Amino acid sequence: MKRYALGRRDFVHLAALGGAAAALPRWLQAGILESEGFLAGDLGLDPSARTLATRSDPVRVRGVVEAGGRGLGSVSVSDGLSVVRTDGNGEFELLSAPGAEFVFVTLPAGMDVPRNPPGTARFYEPLRRDAGGEQSVRFSLSPRPSTDDRHALLLLADIQTQNEREIGLFHAESVPDVQATVRELGTVPAFGVSCGDIMYDHLELYPEYERGVSRMGIPFFQVVGNHDLDQEARTDEGSTATFSRHFGPRYYSFDRGAVHYVVLDDVFWHGAGYIGYIDGPQLAWLQADLAHVEPGRPVVVCLHIPVLGSGHLREGRDSPELGVAVANREALYRLLEPYAAHILTGHTHENDPGFESGVHEHVTGTVCGAWWTGPICWDGTPNGYAVYEARGEEIRWRYKATGEDPAHQIRAYAAGSDPGAPDEIIANIWGWDPEWSVVWYEGGDRRGSMARRISLDPLSVELHTGPDLPAVRSWVDPVRTRHLFFAPASPGRQITIEATDRFGRQYAERI
């Protein structure tokens, strides 16, 4: 492995550790640093703490990006570290980094998404050296018949099927619901993102997910999750081999309309488990990728593990555990500072909005809910997915409950549903963020705003509490959530709960 002199340029790599480095075990610090090109001995760490990954020889790649028979200029092409731009004829040349597996293009706006036969996005080619150590690549794109300035993203977090029963539920419930949403979007071009944990460790079932993509009828991009890894791998580099055989690079970018989309891999496998962490090569690539994105543009970043989340605050702790948040998130925040940034994640099986360092993080409820045990996640959010619609630089979103009308955004409970609040009605409003307003009416009389409190969803308590519940996975328990609202109610009167989201859309539910 190449030995680096630690200079100014390497701070991009070392920033990956951020302020969280001191909290990591020294053997894990060594493993992370070595995975990024530094020898453990360079930083006084135990050099025997990690087995170094084998690096392949570089490939000189020459190619062209074209559409309609003409070369496309100013298109980004990358090997996962270097980012080069095509010239006026659409031609490019790059020398791949040691260990690189793919060459890929940042799909420009206004182009159809190329697809593999099942419908997954095909924006990449595997690197293959010829006898002279070179490779020729041609990316042939197709212009869309109309603009994609308005478009939609369907974010499916944690499909997480483990067996035939769960695959059957995915195909019988989730796939038809997505098909209906696509129909409702009409002529709006749509694409999907599977936001990690596509599988539940059984990677041989990927073809069933691909069959679902084919049925849903829109192109899908994939994010790697902790249950999508080859867990026999000894290093992070080897843990995504099966994922990459099916879906290509583990991080990349593409443009739709005015929005720049980025997919990252924040699941760092250290041989005996994982932590939330974005490795240095990704951060270096992201810095190079964003250098071609105008400041102020909307940038949407899709990862699996939340960058921060609020679980630790709800549980009374000062900081999150390493497996449910990104240890070096400050490095990502710094790169996103110039942009109107949104971060889309899954992993924790709940809806949980967050705002940190000027970034809006959307922790999204899951397709599988509480691991296919019933109709809800353990915070009471229905099984489902998120729908984002972009019009120019404006982005709107909502959560779509599987099998329900899009207006289904509230579950209301009568007084007495929570023993800790026996005289209060409760509303679970899973799409809530601080820009929402929630009020209640008795009869036709408006009574005022409901009070938001951290508590347990009553339906989750009913379905998930007890040593034998839920029957499929008895280890699932209710979790405390921030999107429950309470109000004292007069007995015997009709109650109406009304919520208005940040975009002015109103939803109502009666008790």
Side-chain angles (χ1 to χ4, degrees):
M1 176 176 286
K2 179 180 179 181
R3 181 179 296 271
Y4 288 81
L6 298 184
R8 180 177 179 182
R9 185 173 182 275
D10 295 312
F11 280 112
V12 173
H13 293 257
L14 290 177
L17 286 173
L24 302 180
R26 288 181 66 81
W27 66 267
L28 187 51
Q29 292 180 42
I32 290 173
L33 289 166
E34 289 181 6
S35 78
E36 296 178 4
F38 299 96
L39 293 180
D42 290 332
L43 293 117
L45 301 174
D46 180 3
S48 65
R50 182 167 171 93
T51 302
L52 301 183
T54 301
R55 300 287 182 171
S56 61
D57 292 331
V59 181
R60 185 172 300 281
V61 183
R62 295 184 174 91
V64 63
V65 180
E66 63 180 11
R70 301 180 62 180
L72 293 176
S74 300
V75 176
S76 293
V77 182
S78 180
D79 64 342
L81 186 61
S82 300
V83 177
V84 300
R85 302 279 275 182
T86 58
D87 63 18
N89 297 317
E91 297 177 351
F92 68 90
E93 179 178 335
L94 66 79
L95 184 65
S96 71
E101 298 178 273
F102 299 94
V103 56
F104 55 91
V105 62
T106 295
L107 292 173
M111 299 290 158
D112 282 330
V113 178
R115 308 189 203 186
N116 290 309
T120 52
R122 178 69 182 224
F123 52 91
Y124 59 90
E125 290 296 332
L127 284 171
R128 298 187 178 93
R129 295 175 80 250
D130 64 16
E134 298 190 355
Q135 181 176 358
S136 178
V137 174
R138 181 176 295 271
F139 291 104
S140 295
L141 308 179
S142 299
R144 287 189 47 77
S146 59
T147 179
D148 57 5
D149 195 51
R150 181 182 178 189
H151 63 269
L153 155 63
L154 278 60
L155 188 89
L156 277 61
D158 299 73
I159 297 171
Q160 206 160 346
T161 53
Q162 189 178 41
N163 51 47
E164 289 187 7
R165 170 187 169 272
E166 293 165 7
I167 288 168
L169 291 170
F170 170 60
H171 282 285
E173 299 175 1
S174 307
V175 170
D177 200 274
V178 170
Q179 291 171 330
T181 295
V182 172
R183 287 194 299 269
E184 290 167 5
L185 288 167
T187 60
V188 177
F191 65 93
V193 173
S194 291
C195 205
D197 281 4
I198 303 167
M199 290 293 110
Y200 196 169
D201 300 334
H202 288 266
L203 307 190
E204 71 275 9
L205 299 178
Y206 273 139
E208 283 297 329
Y209 160 73
E210 293 171 318
R211 184 165 71 89
V213 168
S214 179
R215 291 181 59 207
M216 288 184 281
I218 57 175
F220 263 79
F221 297 88
Q222 283 66 227
V223 179
V224 66
N226 53 290
H227 287 288
D228 296 319
L229 303 180
D230 295 291
Q231 297 186 9
E232 72 280 2
R234 297 181 62 188
T235 65
D236 185 56
E237 294 90 339
S239 67
T240 54
T242 300
F243 176 92
S244 290
R245 281 198 301 273
H246 284 269
F247 310 120
R250 58 192 178 92
Y251 58 92
Y252 50 91
S253 65
F254 56 96
D255 290 324
R256 300 285 88 185
V259 184
H260 185 67
Y261 292 92
V262 176
V263 168
L264 296 177
D265 170 12
D266 66 348
V267 182
F268 187 91
W269 179 259
H270 52 72
Y274 68 91
I275 65 169
Y277 175 81
I278 304 171
D279 60 53
Q282 281 188 85
L283 290 174
W285 168 82
L286 181 60
Q287 184 178 45
D289 175 75
L290 293 177
H292 301 290
V293 180
E294 301 86 348
R297 271 185 64 185
V299 172
V300 174
V301 181
C302 301
L303 319 93
H304 179 62
I305 297 175
V307 175
L308 181 58
S310 72
H312 59 292
L313 299 176
R314 286 177 272 136
E315 295 164 3
R317 293 183 285 107
D318 292 333
S319 59
E321 297 176 355
L322 292 175
V324 296
V326 174
N328 58 335
R329 54 189 169 273
E330 293 299 330
L332 178 62
Y333 290 148
R334 287 198 295 273
L335 290 176
L336 295 178
E337 279 179 357
Y339 306 99
H342 293 263
I343 294 176
L344 315 185
T345 68
H347 187 55
T348 54
H349 295 248
E350 61 186 350
N351 263 353
D352 184 25
F355 302 86
E356 184 75 18
S357 300
V359 176
H360 187 165
E361 180 172 17
H362 309 248
V363 181
T364 310
T366 58
V367 172
C368 72
W371 295 268
W372 297 110
T373 60
I376 60 171
C377 302
W378 49 6
D379 70 333
T381 296
N383 301 4
Y385 52 95
V387 180
Y388 294 81
E389 293 187 63
R391 297 189 182 191
E393 295 191 350
E394 180 191 27
I395 302 175
R396 298 188 176 200
W397 56 89
R398 59 181 167 86
Y399 187 82
K400 174 63 177 69
T402 301
E404 301 285 353
D405 186 275
H408 179 58
Q409 300 291 333
I410 305 170
R411 186 185 306 110
Y413 298 96
S417 298
D418 183 345
D423 299 321
E424 294 183 287
I425 59 170
I426 305 171
N428 191 334
I429 303 176
W430 42 82
W432 170 86
D433 67 44
E435 296 298 317
W436 286 53
S437 66
V438 182
V439 299
W440 96 99
Y441 296 79
E442 291 185 355
D445 301 325
R446 176 173 168 144
R447 295 300 307 275
S449 298
M450 298 182 71
R452 185 173 60 86
R453 296 206 295 268
I454 296 174
S455 189
L456 301 176
D457 174 78
L459 181 58
S460 181
V461 171
E462 176 185 343
L463 297 179
H464 302 146
T465 302
D468 300 321
L469 292 176
V472 177
R473 292 190 168 95
S474 58
W475 46 264
V476 173
D477 290 313
V479 296
R480 291 162 59 80
T481 181
R482 298 190 297 169
H483 46 72
L484 291 178
F485 292 79
F486 294 76
S490 301
R493 300 196 68 186
Q494 179 175 283
I495 305 297
T496 301
I497 297 165
E498 183 180 273
T500 305
D501 70 15
R502 63 165 54 224
F503 308 112
R505 299 175 296 202
Q506 290 189 336
Y507 312 99
E509 187 74 11
R510 290 181 177 177
I511 300 177

